[in-house]
Amino acid sequence: MTTISVLLVDDHLVVRSGLKALLDTQPDIEVIAEADSGEAALRILENLSPDVVVMDLAMGAGMDGIDAIKEIHQRNAKQAVLVFTTYDSDADIVRAVDAGAMGYLLKDAAPEEIFSAVRGASNGKSVMSAPVASKLFRRLRNPDEALTPREAELLSLLVEGLGNKELSQRLFISEATVKTHLAHIYAKLGVETRVEAITTALRREGMR
């Protein structure tokens, strides 16, 4: 079994301890380090290469989560960073994804959702909490949106980190049709990747 290594970054010891205890219940997830600030996280990442960095956004004085994510992404664009926060504002979501976050999870998420998000992020999948995904879907259903209803539905499912096979099963269409829809979505939004599609969609609907 491959173990997913995790770095926890949060200025509250109680939060880190609780999340570590939760993640440690999973045989395939291991917390290998903790940091109480963005600066501390960057120092740790000079010597360690965790599969996933779980990052809070607000961390008191000094570097906040957004700046830390930007710096991590500049140093290593392949490093998966999963935001774990209480903030669900439009601006925070877009800023985090723009900075390079792989996913956005709220702290009231159920344990299984947290486990799934960590596993998804380690596999390069974009994952967001259900409320964030729901907000995105509602906005994409705006009749003025260039996407068709089916394309909007498919785009909303991308935030769950589903692959083409899973998307085809969820929507009861072939994988070839999924690829066609994705090509149309990318073309309409002027992007090349799934993360860019989600970020662009959020911006186009005024989520700043």
Short mmCIF file of all heavy atoms in Angstrom, two decimals, residues 4-66:
data_model
loop_
_atom_site.label_atom_id
_atom_site.label_comp_id
_atom_site.label_asym_id
_atom_site.label_seq_id
_atom_site.Cartn_x
_atom_site.Cartn_y
_atom_site.Cartn_z
N ILE A 4 0.34 8.11 1.69
CA ILE A 4 0.31 9.53 1.32
C ILE A 4 0.88 10.35 2.47
O ILE A 4 0.33 10.34 3.57
CB ILE A 4 -1.13 9.99 1.03
CG1 ILE A 4 -1.73 9.16 -0.12
CG2 ILE A 4 -1.16 11.47 0.69
CD1 ILE A 4 -3.22 9.37 -0.29
N SER A 5 1.99 11.03 2.23
CA SER A 5 2.61 11.84 3.27
C SER A 5 2.00 13.24 3.27
O SER A 5 1.75 13.82 2.22
CB SER A 5 4.12 11.92 3.07
OG SER A 5 4.43 12.41 1.78
N VAL A 6 1.79 13.78 4.48
CA VAL A 6 1.08 15.06 4.63
C VAL A 6 1.84 16.01 5.55
O VAL A 6 2.36 15.60 6.59
CB VAL A 6 -0.34 14.84 5.19
CG1 VAL A 6 -1.04 16.17 5.45
CG2 VAL A 6 -1.18 13.99 4.24
N LEU A 7 1.88 17.28 5.16
CA LEU A 7 2.37 18.36 6.02
C LEU A 7 1.17 19.20 6.42
O LEU A 7 0.45 19.70 5.56
CB LEU A 7 3.39 19.24 5.27
CG LEU A 7 3.71 20.62 5.90
CD1 LEU A 7 4.32 20.46 7.27
CD2 LEU A 7 4.64 21.42 4.97
N LEU A 8 0.94 19.36 7.72
CA LEU A 8 -0.17 20.17 8.23
C LEU A 8 0.34 21.57 8.56
O LEU A 8 1.35 21.71 9.26
CB LEU A 8 -0.76 19.53 9.49
CG LEU A 8 -1.39 18.15 9.36
CD1 LEU A 8 -1.95 17.71 10.72
CD2 LEU A 8 -2.48 18.15 8.31
N VAL A 9 -0.37 22.59 8.06
CA VAL A 9 0.02 23.97 8.34
C VAL A 9 -1.17 24.73 8.90
O VAL A 9 -2.14 25.02 8.19
CB VAL A 9 0.52 24.67 7.06
CG1 VAL A 9 1.09 26.06 7.41
CG2 VAL A 9 1.56 23.84 6.34
N ASP A 10 -1.11 25.03 10.20
CA ASP A 10 -2.19 25.75 10.88
C ASP A 10 -1.61 26.34 12.15
O ASP A 10 -0.82 25.68 12.83
CB ASP A 10 -3.35 24.79 11.22
CG ASP A 10 -4.63 25.53 11.58
OD1 ASP A 10 -4.62 26.27 12.60
OD2 ASP A 10 -5.63 25.36 10.87
N ASP A 11 -1.98 27.59 12.46
CA ASP A 11 -1.39 28.22 13.64
C ASP A 11 -2.04 27.78 14.95
O ASP A 11 -1.57 28.15 16.02
CB ASP A 11 -1.44 29.75 13.52
CG ASP A 11 -2.86 30.29 13.44
OD1 ASP A 11 -3.75 29.54 12.99
OD2 ASP A 11 -3.06 31.46 13.80
N HIS A 12 -3.09 26.98 14.88
CA HIS A 12 -3.74 26.49 16.09
C HIS A 12 -3.34 25.04 16.37
O HIS A 12 -3.64 24.14 15.57
CB HIS A 12 -5.26 26.58 15.97
CG HIS A 12 -5.77 28.00 15.96
ND1 HIS A 12 -6.07 28.67 14.80
CD2 HIS A 12 -5.98 28.87 16.98
CE1 HIS A 12 -6.49 29.89 15.09
NE2 HIS A 12 -6.43 30.04 16.40
N LEU A 13 -2.68 24.83 17.48
CA LEU A 13 -2.21 23.50 17.84
C LEU A 13 -3.36 22.51 17.97
O LEU A 13 -3.25 21.35 17.56
CB LEU A 13 -1.43 23.56 19.17
CG LEU A 13 -0.95 22.22 19.73
CD1 LEU A 13 -0.02 21.53 18.75
CD2 LEU A 13 -0.24 22.44 21.07
N VAL A 14 -4.46 22.97 18.53
CA VAL A 14 -5.62 22.08 18.73
C VAL A 14 -6.13 21.58 17.38
O VAL A 14 -6.48 20.40 17.23
CB VAL A 14 -6.75 22.81 19.49
CG1 VAL A 14 -8.01 21.95 19.51
CG2 VAL A 14 -6.32 23.14 20.91
N VAL A 15 -6.19 22.49 16.41
CA VAL A 15 -6.65 22.09 15.07
C VAL A 15 -5.70 21.08 14.45
O VAL A 15 -6.11 20.06 13.89
CB VAL A 15 -6.78 23.32 14.14
CG1 VAL A 15 -7.12 22.88 12.71
CG2 VAL A 15 -7.86 24.26 14.67
N ARG A 16 -4.39 21.36 14.53
CA ARG A 16 -3.41 20.43 13.96
C ARG A 16 -3.48 19.08 14.64
O ARG A 16 -3.45 18.04 13.97
CB ARG A 16 -1.99 21.00 14.10
CG ARG A 16 -1.73 22.27 13.31
CD ARG A 16 -0.22 22.47 13.08
NE ARG A 16 0.56 22.34 14.30
CZ ARG A 16 0.78 23.31 15.18
NH1 ARG A 16 0.26 24.52 14.97
NH2 ARG A 16 1.53 23.10 16.24
N SER A 17 -3.58 19.09 15.96
CA SER A 17 -3.63 17.83 16.70
C SER A 17 -4.86 17.02 16.34
O SER A 17 -4.79 15.80 16.15
CB SER A 17 -3.61 18.11 18.21
OG SER A 17 -2.42 18.77 18.59
N GLY A 18 -6.00 17.72 16.25
CA GLY A 18 -7.23 17.02 15.91
C GLY A 18 -7.21 16.45 14.51
O GLY A 18 -7.63 15.31 14.27
N LEU A 19 -6.70 17.24 13.55
CA LEU A 19 -6.64 16.78 12.17
C LEU A 19 -5.63 15.65 12.02
O LEU A 19 -5.87 14.68 11.29
CB LEU A 19 -6.27 17.94 11.26
CG LEU A 19 -6.27 17.65 9.75
CD1 LEU A 19 -7.62 17.10 9.31
CD2 LEU A 19 -5.95 18.91 8.96
N LYS A 20 -4.51 15.76 12.73
CA LYS A 20 -3.51 14.68 12.67
C LYS A 20 -4.10 13.38 13.21
O LYS A 20 -3.92 12.31 12.61
CB LYS A 20 -2.28 15.06 13.48
CG LYS A 20 -1.17 13.99 13.44
CD LYS A 20 0.04 14.41 14.25
CE LYS A 20 1.18 13.42 14.07
NZ LYS A 20 0.81 12.04 14.49
N ALA A 21 -4.79 13.48 14.35
CA ALA A 21 -5.40 12.28 14.94
C ALA A 21 -6.40 11.66 13.98
O ALA A 21 -6.49 10.43 13.86
CB ALA A 21 -6.08 12.64 16.26
N LEU A 22 -7.14 12.50 13.27
CA LEU A 22 -8.14 12.02 12.31
C LEU A 22 -7.47 11.34 11.12
O LEU A 22 -7.83 10.21 10.74
CB LEU A 22 -9.00 13.19 11.83
CG LEU A 22 -10.14 12.85 10.86
CD1 LEU A 22 -11.18 11.96 11.53
CD2 LEU A 22 -10.79 14.13 10.35
N LEU A 23 -6.48 12.01 10.54
CA LEU A 23 -5.79 11.45 9.37
C LEU A 23 -5.03 10.17 9.71
O LEU A 23 -4.93 9.26 8.88
CB LEU A 23 -4.84 12.49 8.77
CG LEU A 23 -5.50 13.72 8.15
CD1 LEU A 23 -4.43 14.71 7.70
CD2 LEU A 23 -6.39 13.34 6.98
N ASP A 24 -4.52 10.11 10.93
CA ASP A 24 -3.75 8.94 11.34
C ASP A 24 -4.61 7.69 11.49
O ASP A 24 -4.07 6.59 11.66
CB ASP A 24 -3.00 9.22 12.65
CG ASP A 24 -1.75 10.07 12.44
OD1 ASP A 24 -1.34 10.22 11.28
OD2 ASP A 24 -1.20 10.58 13.43
N THR A 25 -5.93 7.85 11.44
CA THR A 25 -6.81 6.66 11.50
C THR A 25 -6.81 5.93 10.16
O THR A 25 -7.30 4.79 10.09
CB THR A 25 -8.26 7.05 11.85
OG1 THR A 25 -8.81 7.86 10.79
CG2 THR A 25 -8.32 7.81 13.16
N GLN A 26 -6.28 6.57 9.13
CA GLN A 26 -6.27 5.97 7.80
C GLN A 26 -4.93 5.30 7.52
O GLN A 26 -3.89 5.93 7.66
CB GLN A 26 -6.54 7.04 6.74
CG GLN A 26 -7.85 7.77 6.92
CD GLN A 26 -9.03 6.81 6.93
OE1 GLN A 26 -9.35 6.19 5.91
NE2 GLN A 26 -9.69 6.69 8.07
N PRO A 27 -4.94 4.04 7.14
CA PRO A 27 -3.67 3.32 6.94
C PRO A 27 -2.83 3.84 5.78
O PRO A 27 -1.62 3.59 5.73
CB PRO A 27 -4.14 1.88 6.68
CG PRO A 27 -5.53 2.03 6.13
CD PRO A 27 -6.11 3.18 6.89
N ASP A 28 -3.46 4.58 4.86
CA ASP A 28 -2.72 5.06 3.69
C ASP A 28 -2.36 6.54 3.77
O ASP A 28 -1.89 7.11 2.79
CB ASP A 28 -3.53 4.80 2.41
CG ASP A 28 -4.86 5.55 2.41
OD1 ASP A 28 -5.40 5.79 3.51
OD2 ASP A 28 -5.35 5.89 1.32
N ILE A 29 -2.58 7.17 4.93
CA ILE A 29 -2.26 8.59 5.11
C ILE A 29 -1.39 8.76 6.35
O ILE A 29 -1.70 8.24 7.42
CB ILE A 29 -3.53 9.45 5.25
CG1 ILE A 29 -4.42 9.31 4.01
CG2 ILE A 29 -3.15 10.91 5.46
CD1 ILE A 29 -5.74 10.06 4.11
N GLU A 30 -0.28 9.50 6.21
CA GLU A 30 0.63 9.72 7.34
C GLU A 30 1.04 11.18 7.42
O GLU A 30 1.53 11.75 6.45
CB GLU A 30 1.88 8.86 7.19
CG GLU A 30 2.88 9.07 8.32
CD GLU A 30 4.18 8.31 8.10
OE1 GLU A 30 4.36 7.73 7.00
OE2 GLU A 30 5.02 8.31 9.01
N VAL A 31 0.81 11.81 8.56
CA VAL A 31 1.26 13.18 8.80
C VAL A 31 2.73 13.12 9.19
O VAL A 31 3.09 12.57 10.23
CB VAL A 31 0.45 13.85 9.92
CG1 VAL A 31 1.00 15.24 10.21
CG2 VAL A 31 -1.02 13.95 9.53
N ILE A 32 3.59 13.65 8.34
CA ILE A 32 5.03 13.56 8.58
C ILE A 32 5.62 14.81 9.20
O ILE A 32 6.75 14.80 9.69
CB ILE A 32 5.79 13.22 7.29
CG1 ILE A 32 5.58 14.31 6.23
CG2 ILE A 32 5.36 11.86 6.76
CD1 ILE A 32 6.48 14.15 5.00
N ALA A 33 4.86 15.92 9.17
CA ALA A 33 5.37 17.16 9.76
C ALA A 33 4.24 18.15 9.99
O ALA A 33 3.17 18.03 9.37
CB ALA A 33 6.43 17.79 8.86
N GLU A 34 4.48 19.12 10.87
CA GLU A 34 3.50 20.16 11.16
C GLU A 34 4.20 21.52 11.18
O GLU A 34 5.38 21.61 11.52
CB GLU A 34 2.84 19.92 12.53
CG GLU A 34 2.09 18.61 12.65
CD GLU A 34 1.51 18.42 14.04
OE1 GLU A 34 1.09 19.43 14.65
OE2 GLU A 34 1.51 17.28 14.54
N ALA A 35 3.45 22.56 10.84
CA ALA A 35 3.99 23.93 10.88
C ALA A 35 2.90 24.85 11.39
O ALA A 35 1.72 24.66 11.12
CB ALA A 35 4.45 24.36 9.49
N ASP A 36 3.31 25.89 12.14
CA ASP A 36 2.33 26.82 12.70
C ASP A 36 2.30 28.15 11.95
O ASP A 36 1.65 29.10 12.38
CB ASP A 36 2.60 27.07 14.18
CG ASP A 36 3.98 27.66 14.44
OD1 ASP A 36 4.72 27.95 13.46
OD2 ASP A 36 4.33 27.83 15.62
N SER A 37 3.01 28.22 10.81
CA SER A 37 3.00 29.45 10.01
C SER A 37 3.44 29.13 8.59
O SER A 37 4.01 28.05 8.33
CB SER A 37 3.96 30.48 10.62
OG SER A 37 5.30 30.04 10.48
N GLY A 38 3.19 30.08 7.69
CA GLY A 38 3.63 29.89 6.32
C GLY A 38 5.14 29.82 6.22
O GLY A 38 5.70 29.01 5.47
N GLU A 39 5.82 30.67 6.99
CA GLU A 39 7.28 30.67 6.98
C GLU A 39 7.83 29.32 7.43
O GLU A 39 8.78 28.80 6.83
CB GLU A 39 7.82 31.78 7.89
CG GLU A 39 7.55 33.19 7.39
CD GLU A 39 6.21 33.74 7.88
OE1 GLU A 39 5.39 32.95 8.38
OE2 GLU A 39 6.01 34.96 7.76
N ALA A 40 7.24 28.77 8.50
CA ALA A 40 7.69 27.48 9.01
C ALA A 40 7.46 26.37 7.99
O ALA A 40 8.29 25.47 7.83
CB ALA A 40 6.98 27.16 10.32
N ALA A 41 6.36 26.47 7.29
CA ALA A 41 6.05 25.47 6.26
C ALA A 41 7.10 25.49 5.16
O ALA A 41 7.56 24.44 4.70
CB ALA A 41 4.67 25.72 5.68
N LEU A 42 7.49 26.69 4.73
CA LEU A 42 8.49 26.82 3.67
C LEU A 42 9.84 26.25 4.11
O LEU A 42 10.54 25.62 3.31
CB LEU A 42 8.63 28.28 3.27
CG LEU A 42 7.43 28.89 2.57
CD1 LEU A 42 7.63 30.39 2.37
CD2 LEU A 42 7.18 28.22 1.23
N ARG A 43 10.18 26.46 5.38
CA ARG A 43 11.45 25.91 5.88
C ARG A 43 11.41 24.38 5.86
O ARG A 43 12.38 23.73 5.48
CB ARG A 43 11.72 26.42 7.31
CG ARG A 43 12.11 27.89 7.36
CD ARG A 43 12.69 28.25 8.71
NE ARG A 43 11.71 28.14 9.79
CZ ARG A 43 10.91 29.13 10.16
NH1 ARG A 43 10.96 30.32 9.54
NH2 ARG A 43 10.05 28.96 11.14
N ILE A 44 10.28 23.83 6.27
CA ILE A 44 10.13 22.36 6.28
C ILE A 44 10.22 21.79 4.86
O ILE A 44 10.84 20.75 4.63
CB ILE A 44 8.79 21.96 6.93
CG1 ILE A 44 8.83 22.26 8.44
CG2 ILE A 44 8.47 20.49 6.69
CD1 ILE A 44 7.50 22.06 9.14
N LEU A 45 9.62 22.50 3.91
CA LEU A 45 9.59 22.02 2.53
C LEU A 45 10.96 22.10 1.85
O LEU A 45 11.13 21.55 0.76
CB LEU A 45 8.56 22.82 1.72
CG LEU A 45 7.10 22.52 2.08
CD1 LEU A 45 6.17 23.49 1.36
CD2 LEU A 45 6.74 21.08 1.72
N GLU A 46 11.91 22.74 2.49
CA GLU A 46 13.27 22.75 1.95
C GLU A 46 13.92 21.38 2.11
O GLU A 46 14.85 21.02 1.37
CB GLU A 46 14.11 23.82 2.65
CG GLU A 46 13.70 25.25 2.33
CD GLU A 46 14.52 26.27 3.10
OE1 GLU A 46 15.35 25.85 3.93
OE2 GLU A 46 14.33 27.48 2.88
N ASN A 47 13.44 20.62 3.09
CA ASN A 47 14.04 19.32 3.39
C ASN A 47 13.09 18.14 3.18
O ASN A 47 13.54 17.00 3.07
CB ASN A 47 14.53 19.30 4.85
CG ASN A 47 15.58 20.37 5.11
OD1 ASN A 47 16.58 20.45 4.42
ND2 ASN A 47 15.33 21.21 6.12
N LEU A 48 11.80 18.40 3.15
CA LEU A 48 10.81 17.34 2.98
C LEU A 48 9.98 17.56 1.73
O LEU A 48 9.80 18.70 1.30
CB LEU A 48 9.87 17.27 4.20
CG LEU A 48 10.47 16.81 5.54
CD1 LEU A 48 9.40 16.86 6.62
CD2 LEU A 48 11.07 15.42 5.43
N SER A 49 9.48 16.49 1.17
CA SER A 49 8.62 16.57 -0.02
C SER A 49 7.34 15.77 0.22
O SER A 49 7.19 14.66 -0.29
CB SER A 49 9.37 16.04 -1.25
OG SER A 49 10.51 16.80 -1.53
N PRO A 50 6.43 16.32 1.02
CA PRO A 50 5.17 15.59 1.29
C PRO A 50 4.32 15.51 0.04
O PRO A 50 4.43 16.34 -0.86
CB PRO A 50 4.51 16.47 2.36
CG PRO A 50 5.03 17.84 2.07
CD PRO A 50 6.46 17.64 1.66
N ASP A 51 3.49 14.51 -0.02
CA ASP A 51 2.58 14.36 -1.16
C ASP A 51 1.56 15.48 -1.17
O ASP A 51 1.17 15.98 -2.23
CB ASP A 51 1.87 13.00 -1.10
CG ASP A 51 2.84 11.85 -1.27
OD1 ASP A 51 3.63 11.88 -2.22
OD2 ASP A 51 2.81 10.93 -0.42
N VAL A 52 1.11 15.87 0.04
CA VAL A 52 0.07 16.90 0.16
C VAL A 52 0.40 17.85 1.30
O VAL A 52 0.77 17.41 2.39
CB VAL A 52 -1.32 16.29 0.40
CG1 VAL A 52 -2.39 17.38 0.50
CG2 VAL A 52 -1.69 15.30 -0.70
N VAL A 53 0.25 19.15 1.05
CA VAL A 53 0.34 20.16 2.12
C VAL A 53 -1.09 20.59 2.41
O VAL A 53 -1.80 21.06 1.52
CB VAL A 53 1.17 21.38 1.68
CG1 VAL A 53 1.14 22.45 2.78
CG2 VAL A 53 2.60 20.97 1.37
N VAL A 54 -1.53 20.43 3.66
CA VAL A 54 -2.86 20.87 4.08
C VAL A 54 -2.69 22.20 4.78
O VAL A 54 -2.10 22.29 5.85
CB VAL A 54 -3.52 19.83 5.01
CG1 VAL A 54 -4.90 20.33 5.46
CG2 VAL A 54 -3.67 18.49 4.30
N MET A 55 -3.22 23.27 4.15
CA MET A 55 -2.89 24.64 4.55
C MET A 55 -4.10 25.46 4.98
O MET A 55 -5.10 25.53 4.26
CB MET A 55 -2.22 25.33 3.35
CG MET A 55 -1.91 26.81 3.52
SD MET A 55 -0.35 27.12 4.35
CE MET A 55 0.83 26.48 3.15
N ASP A 56 -4.02 26.08 6.16
CA ASP A 56 -5.03 27.04 6.57
C ASP A 56 -4.74 28.37 5.86
O ASP A 56 -3.63 28.59 5.38
CB ASP A 56 -4.98 27.23 8.09
CG ASP A 56 -6.18 28.01 8.62
OD1 ASP A 56 -7.15 28.21 7.85
OD2 ASP A 56 -6.16 28.42 9.79
N LEU A 57 -5.73 29.24 5.78
CA LEU A 57 -5.52 30.53 5.12
C LEU A 57 -5.09 31.62 6.08
O LEU A 57 -4.19 32.40 5.79
CB LEU A 57 -6.81 30.96 4.39
CG LEU A 57 -7.21 30.14 3.17
CD1 LEU A 57 -8.42 30.77 2.49
CD2 LEU A 57 -6.06 30.00 2.19
N ALA A 58 -5.74 31.73 7.24
CA ALA A 58 -5.43 32.78 8.21
C ALA A 58 -4.54 32.21 9.30
O ALA A 58 -4.92 31.27 10.00
CB ALA A 58 -6.72 33.33 8.81
N MET A 59 -3.33 32.80 9.43
CA MET A 59 -2.40 32.26 10.43
C MET A 59 -1.74 33.35 11.24
O MET A 59 -0.53 33.32 11.49
CB MET A 59 -1.36 31.36 9.75
CG MET A 59 -1.95 30.04 9.29
SD MET A 59 -0.75 28.93 8.57
CE MET A 59 -0.43 29.75 7.01
N GLY A 60 -2.50 34.36 11.65
CA GLY A 60 -1.97 35.39 12.50
C GLY A 60 -0.97 36.27 11.80
O GLY A 60 -1.04 36.50 10.59
N ALA A 61 0.02 36.75 12.55
CA ALA A 61 1.03 37.65 11.99
C ALA A 61 1.94 36.90 11.03
O ALA A 61 2.11 35.69 11.11
CB ALA A 61 1.84 38.27 13.12
N GLY A 62 2.52 37.64 10.10
CA GLY A 62 3.43 37.01 9.16
C GLY A 62 2.74 36.54 7.90
O GLY A 62 1.68 37.05 7.52
N MET A 63 3.32 35.59 7.24
CA MET A 63 2.82 35.09 5.96
C MET A 63 1.52 34.33 6.13
O MET A 63 1.42 33.40 6.93
CB MET A 63 3.87 34.17 5.32
CG MET A 63 3.48 33.59 3.98
SD MET A 63 4.81 32.55 3.29
CE MET A 63 6.03 33.80 2.86
N ASP A 64 0.49 34.72 5.37
CA ASP A 64 -0.78 33.99 5.44
C ASP A 64 -0.75 32.82 4.47
O ASP A 64 0.23 32.59 3.75
CB ASP A 64 -1.96 34.92 5.16
CG ASP A 64 -1.97 35.47 3.73
OD1 ASP A 64 -1.15 35.02 2.89
OD2 ASP A 64 -2.81 36.34 3.44
N GLY A 65 -1.84 32.06 4.45
CA GLY A 65 -1.90 30.87 3.63
C GLY A 65 -1.76 31.14 2.15
O GLY A 65 -1.10 30.40 1.42
N ILE A 66 -2.39 32.21 1.67
CA ILE A 66 -2.34 32.54 0.24
C ILE A 66 -0.91 32.81 -0.19
O ILE A 66 -0.44 32.27 -1.21
CB ILE A 66 -3.22 33.77 -0.08
CG1 ILE A 66 -4.70 33.49 0.22
CG2 ILE A 66 -3.04 34.18 -1.54
CD1 ILE A 66 -5.32 32.43 -0.64
#
